[in-house]
Amino acid sequence: MANSSDPAVSSSVMAARMRDQHRAISALTRSKILRSGELNLSMMEITEVAAKTLKVGRSSIWLYNKEKSKIVCQDLYRIAEGHGLHEQSIELYASDYPAYFEAISEARTIAAHDAHSHEATKEFSVGYLVPLGIQSMLDAPIFVSGQMVGVVCQEHIGQPRHWELDEEHFVGSIADMVAMALESSNRKLAQEQLEIRIGQIAALVEVSRSIISMLDIDSLLIQVIDTIGLVMNAEASSLLLIEEGPEGKQLRFRFSRGSASADLCHDTIKMGEGFAGWVALNGVPLIIDDAYTDCRFNPRFDKKTGFRTRSVITVPLRCKNNKILGVIQAVNKKSASSFNRDDLELFQTFASMVSVSLENAQLVADLRRSLEQERRLAVEKEKLGAFLPKVVVDEVSRSRETKLALGGKVVEATVLFSDIKGFTSLSELMKPEDVVSFLNDYMTAMSDIIDSEGGLVDKFIGDGIMALFLSNASDVDHALRAVRAAIAMQDAVGAAKEKWSSMHPSIVNLEVRIGINSGEMVAGNIGSQSRMEYTVIGDNVNVASRIESNGKEGRVIVSEATYRRVKDYGILATKLEAITVKNRRQPVRIYCIDGFRTLS
């Protein structure tokens, strides 16, 4: 029988051992679990592979806490009664084992052949090594992005064991596998957080489009309070506005959502009271991780409603002149223990949109009261024109002694629809404030062009525009003015892309569709006695909308009816394949406008 001291035997044993180590590392490298980001399962797989490969009684992974005052066991694999068991959450404090913590802080492998006498591990002897029968320890540091985050530990039970160099290298590779698992987990977490943030921003952009155009305050506030819970992922939300009370200014709950919202309806708080009152008084946003540890917290509403407040985020609603209108507040984040700085940035952006919408809605309400009570249409006409089409303002001026009437009349007109291709996807890549800034810039530029051609913006539809061109005092046909405006709009978009791309590089690929149709349509006040708008309706309006939705990006597409009106004015066009429009039996002939030709 060959002696184990025989060099040939030793070499053979080492070769077999290294083959086992190589197979183990290769298997871990290919492991789907390690690449999945499922950290707990990854740790369990690594410790089990390490223990079986090195034939040790215990294999474990330990990570530092933030302060590096302790290490916490992420997984410990051990053999008990012939079965492999996994344990977690054991903690070792630096204050209890200073020599060990000092040794691992040097970021080197600790090969304690006799753990009871080794300088770094002997302090474990009485309370840890002896009770568990551990004789030898082999620890290696774990590095992630150049920073040591913890150690892997192999513990041999029985006789003292001399760790070979290849075994030290193997444990270093095991530490690398742990690092890979941590990075996969971090990537998964980052991806999940990114998806949540994209969802929040998409919801914010979508809702903001509607609230910016809302002029009814109650409808606006309901939309706002519902959006807070959705965007902030909160258990409860509130919107409070400042009003004059018996003892001066106070905050009143206008709308709330959550299990205790019914008990808060129309309740009031003093300026400076609680988090909401403090923010309203100081104009400074707050993030509170634990409400009951903050001296500004007033538990009155928790006692009243039975609700338990934990984390709170509160921001002021501030109008253009820096006046505080009120506050919005979200309570108890569902997906985490507290709100963070990203939440605050998102919430402040939303608050800015709400403030603008509130200010606009309040201004419209004030104007309406002025029209009804004081009959001062001439004074308010210019302000009203910022919110309503000019024809409506003129009608209000003519009808100042009577109520505005619902109804309309048949007119010959041209209607233009425009829309930004893929804007929803683009907005998901942009910061909310950049989305709003871009939309305001874009809408202003397009509206100015429409106005310069004697048209009026009927409405903004998200990132789309509906514009109307009626006959006016000029001799220029409404269809020609609409086509000229559309060409100028496409030229303006092309010229402004470089400027807008500073908000996001993808804007350079932005394209706009424009569709135009002319014909008879009904124009007038549509809606109810309490809420109406001047617009046009009818089949020809629907045709214009369908032409736009079927149009080419970057081009102006017109119906045959529009083309017949403009072809003698030097307008060049290419006939396209007819399109089928809902509720019309005959296909609609369409043309692509190519530009102007010089008339002799």
Side-chain angles (χ1 to χ4, degrees):
M1 185 175 181
N3 191 307
S4 60
S5 60
D6 186 339
V9 174
S10 298
S11 176
S12 175
V13 170
M14 183 176 69
R17 189 172 63 233
M18 292 181 68
R19 283 195 298 273
D20 290 343
Q21 294 167 5
H22 177 73
R23 281 194 292 267
I25 295 300
S26 297
L28 288 175
T29 303
R30 297 191 302 270
S31 171
K32 293 182 179 180
I33 294 177
L34 264 67
R35 297 181 180 277
S36 71
E38 295 293 338
L39 190 58
N40 290 341
L41 293 177
S42 298
M43 298 297 186
M44 292 171 67
E45 181 174 21
I46 291 171
T47 55
E48 191 166 341
V49 167
K52 291 179 178 178
T53 304
L54 287 174
K55 298 180 175 59
V56 294
R58 295 159 62 91
S59 176
S60 55
I61 299 169
W62 304 74
L63 298 181
Y64 277 119
N65 66 342
K66 185 177 180 180
E67 298 78 17
K68 291 195 172 183
S69 62
K70 66 179 179 180
I71 51 175
V72 181
C73 181
Q74 305 303 302
D75 187 75
L76 185 151
Y77 177 79
R78 63 185 179 87
I79 303 296
E81 299 179 356
H83 299 286
L85 301 176
H86 290 272
E87 299 177 7
Q88 295 86 27
S89 302
I90 307 168
E91 298 180 347
L92 298 177
Y93 288 84
S95 57
D96 295 332
Y97 305 102
Y100 179 75
F101 272 78
E102 182 179 353
I104 63 173
S105 69
E106 296 175 2
R108 59 182 176 81
T109 300
I110 299 173
H113 309 300
D114 184 353
H116 297 277
S117 62
H118 193 282
E119 288 297 323
T121 59
K122 65 182 181 180
E123 59 191 0
F124 288 111
S125 186
V126 175
Y128 185 77
L129 302 178
V130 171
L132 297 174
I134 298 170
Q135 291 294 333
S136 304
M137 293 175 62
L138 179 57
D139 294 6
I142 303 167
F143 288 93
V144 175
S145 301
Q147 297 293 320
M148 194 182 77
V149 298
V151 295
V152 293
C153 181
Q154 314 305 315
E155 298 168 340
H156 179 70
I157 297 173
Q159 296 298 317
R161 174 172 175 173
H162 181 82
W163 301 107
E164 301 294 345
L165 184 59
D166 62 274
E167 293 174 323
E168 293 184 28
H169 290 162
F170 173 72
V171 174
S173 298
I174 288 294
D176 292 339
M177 295 298 102
V178 175
M180 186 176 77
L182 288 170
E183 289 173 339
S184 295
S185 177
N186 291 339
R187 283 195 297 270
K188 180 183 178 183
L189 180 60
Q191 180 65 30
E192 290 173 349
Q193 291 175 339
L194 179 61
E195 290 173 357
I196 291 172
R197 189 62 62 190
I198 289 174
Q200 289 176 320
I201 293 174
L204 178 62
V205 171
E206 189 65 31
V207 173
S208 297
R209 290 177 183 173
S210 62
I211 70 170
I212 288 174
S213 63
M214 280 188 178
L215 300 181
D216 178 75
I217 291 180
D218 283 345
S219 299
L220 169 64
L221 297 184
I222 291 172
Q223 183 77 60
V224 168
I225 198 65
D226 288 340
T227 304
I228 292 174
L230 174 66
V231 173
M232 302 310 297
N233 195 25
E235 291 182 9
S237 54
S238 299
L239 186 150
L240 302 90
L241 296 181
I242 296 175
E243 62 175 29
E244 288 295 334
E247 301 177 4
K249 290 184 178 180
Q250 63 182 18
L251 280 170
R252 180 178 295 277
F253 284 89
R254 285 298 302 270
F255 289 98
S256 295
R257 290 289 184 268
S259 59
S261 59
D263 296 314
L264 300 178
C265 185
H266 303 302
D267 210 332
T268 61
I269 63 175
K270 297 177 182 179
M271 295 291 285
E273 178 186 5
F275 298 138
W278 189 92
V279 170
L281 182 63
N282 294 279
V284 179
L286 277 181
I287 297 180
I288 304 299
D289 295 337
D290 186 351
Y292 279 85
T293 63
D294 194 293
C295 62
R296 291 167 293 191
F297 179 58
N298 186 343
R300 172 166 65 95
F301 294 107
D302 275 13
K303 293 176 181 178
K304 176 181 178 181
T305 63
F307 185 83
R308 175 72 180 183
T309 301
R310 299 190 308 276
S311 57
V312 182
I313 184 169
T314 311
V315 300
L317 298 173
R318 194 188 303 272
C319 62
K320 294 176 184 176
N321 62 6
N322 219 30
K323 177 183 177 182
I324 304 297
L325 303 175
V327 302
I328 53 176
Q329 187 174 79
V331 180
N332 295 355
K333 188 173 182 179
K334 295 179 182 178
S335 58
S337 59
S338 62
F339 298 98
N340 56 36
R341 301 301 298 181
D342 290 337
D343 294 321
L344 178 60
E345 182 179 346
L346 187 69
F347 209 28
Q348 285 181 293
T349 300
F350 182 61
S352 298
M353 297 176 183
V354 173
S355 298
V356 172
S357 302
L358 275 173
E359 196 172 8
N360 290 345
Q362 187 61 55
L363 180 57
V364 171
D366 291 344
L367 293 177
R368 286 174 177 167
R369 282 194 296 270
S370 178
L371 288 171
E372 294 172 358
Q373 297 173 1
E374 302 178 22
R375 302 173 186 175
R376 295 173 57 187
L377 180 62
V379 177
E380 304 295 344
K381 184 175 180 180
E382 184 176 354
K383 295 180 182 179
L384 191 62
F387 299 93
L388 301 174
K390 183 176 181 298
V391 289
V392 179
V393 177
D394 293 340
E395 184 176 345
V396 170
S397 181
R398 291 192 301 270
S399 309
R400 65 181 64 179
E401 300 294 336
T402 60
K403 293 180 66 175
L404 288 174
L406 294 171
K409 59 182 179 181
V410 177
V411 297
E412 274 280 334
T414 297
V415 64
L416 175 154
F417 282 89
S418 74
D419 186 68
I420 302 174
K421 178 194 175 186
F423 184 72
T424 299
S425 299
L426 174 62
S427 65
E428 293 176 357
L429 304 175
M430 299 170 64
K431 295 180 180 179
E433 59 268 31
D434 287 344
V435 173
V436 174
S437 176
F438 165 72
L439 280 178
N440 288 341
D441 201 358
Y442 169 77
M443 294 299 187
T444 298
M446 299 301 105
S447 298
D448 288 346
I449 293 171
I450 292 167
D451 183 68
S452 70
E453 288 292 349
L456 60 92
V457 175
D458 185 285
K459 59 175 65 72
F460 297 115
I461 311 167
D463 57 321
I465 299 173
M466 174 183 172
L468 179 63
F469 293 80
L470 298 164
S471 297
N472 58 20
S474 74
D475 294 330
V476 182
D477 187 271
H478 50 77
L480 180 59
R481 288 186 281 113
V483 171
R484 290 195 315 206
I487 294 172
M489 289 166 69
Q490 291 288 20
D491 290 342
V493 169
K497 282 183 181 180
E498 183 174 349
K499 169 191 170 185
W500 290 333
S501 66
S502 63
M503 303 176 192
H504 196 279
S506 297
I507 288 183
V508 297
N509 300 318
L510 180 147
E511 298 288 352
V512 174
R513 296 191 302 263
I514 298 179
I516 301 175
N517 185 36
S518 305
E520 288 188 346
M521 53 197 74
V522 177
N525 296 322
I526 310 297
S528 67
Q529 288 291 351
S530 61
R531 176 72 172 92
M532 64 182 71
E533 66 174 349
Y534 185 90
T535 189
V536 289
I537 58 174
D539 180 61
N540 281 315
V541 178
N542 296 336
V543 169
S545 177
R546 296 294 185 272
I547 291 175
E548 177 272 315
S549 62
N550 286 275
K552 296 182 178 180
E553 296 81 12
R555 308 307 299 269
V556 177
I557 310 299
V558 303
S559 67
E560 186 174 42
T562 300
Y563 178 65
R564 285 200 306 267
R565 284 179 171 270
V566 303
K567 65 181 181 179
D568 295 330
Y569 292 95
I571 300 296
L572 300 174
T574 301
K575 188 175 182 180
L576 304 177
E577 183 176 350
I579 62 172
T580 302
V581 173
K582 185 178 180 181
N583 297 327
R584 278 204 172 195
R585 294 183 179 179
Q586 296 297 324
V588 175
R589 295 188 179 94
I590 57 174
Y591 294 78
C592 177
I593 299 299
D594 298 321
F596 298 90
R597 71 171 181 271
T598 303
L599 296 177
S600 57

